[in-house]
Amino acid sequence: MDYQEAFLQTPLGTAAIKGHARGLVSITVVDADAAAAPSATIPAALAVAAEQLQEYFAGERTTFQLRLDFRGTAFQQRVWQALLDIPFGKTCSYLELARKLGDVKAIRAVAAANGQNPFWIVVPCHRIVGSDGSLTGYAGGLWRKKWLLEHENPYKQQLLF
């Protein structure tokens, strides 16, 4: 299967969108030293994803309607599907997610699957935090996780003076 790829500039770096006519296979963030220039034209199969990501960063979108071509083990796919149930502006702990999946002993496996999520932002692995609410583990860097959670926070801190 031939894949198409596009690069989109975001406030958090360059997003690499990869997919084909049946759906997306990945959306990743690329660090500045490895980033390609933003695509001058976006292939038709990726245009909706690029548009929805731009809307998300503009504060105009809280959910995504994209065809995702999940590739992973059955367990990973269960974890990624469960991540889709975490609402915009909310967080969940690794322990809570393991509990929702029916096995609190699987917390490490849940964390590992979370870290292998191929769909940056769209499958919101950034909404998973430590049991104490701390920002833990994020493949894109904790500074990006913090930014995303603040971006999704409905209660923005207002300047007092």
Side-chain angles (χ1 to χ4, degrees):
M1 169 91 25
D2 288 335
Y3 297 110
Q4 297 176 317
E5 193 167 36
F7 298 93
L8 180 71
Q9 190 58 46
T10 78
L12 298 177
T14 302
I17 306 168
K18 188 175 182 179
H20 49 75
R22 287 197 328 250
L24 301 175
V25 295
S26 69
I27 300 174
T28 57
V29 63
V30 184
D31 285 320
D33 58 337
S39 300
T41 58
I42 306 290
L46 309 177
V48 172
E51 180 181 331
Q52 289 188 22
L53 283 169
Q54 289 171 328
E55 291 169 353
Y56 170 86
F57 283 111
E60 300 166 356
R61 175 171 291 279
T62 59
T63 60
F64 293 91
Q65 285 92 33
L66 299 170
R67 286 187 305 179
L68 305 178
D69 186 4
F70 285 105
R71 301 192 177 198
T73 67
F75 180 78
Q76 287 174 324
Q77 290 186 39
R78 281 185 57 221
V79 171
W80 300 334
Q81 286 296 327
L83 292 171
L84 291 170
D85 293 335
I86 303 169
F88 183 90
K90 303 288 185 192
T91 59
C92 178
S93 73
Y94 292 102
L95 180 59
E96 289 172 301
L97 190 55
R99 190 174 289 131
K100 286 178 186 176
L101 292 169
D103 187 358
V104 295
K105 295 178 193 164
I107 189 169
R108 285 196 171 119
V110 166
N114 195 56
Q116 296 297 312
N117 169 24
F119 297 105
W120 180 57
I121 300 174
V122 173
V123 176
C125 59
H126 60 278
R127 296 180 189 152
I128 302 298
V129 296
S131 293
D132 62 358
S134 62
L135 299 185
T136 59
Y138 189 65
L142 288 180
W143 70 273
R144 285 189 178 107
K145 183 174 191 164
K146 182 177 186 288
W147 191 98
L148 290 167
L149 292 175
E150 288 175 354
H151 177 69
E152 293 183 2
N153 186 345
Y155 307 106
K156 307 267 190 246
Q157 176 64 45
Q158 300 294 316
L159 293 176
L160 299 176
F161 302 99

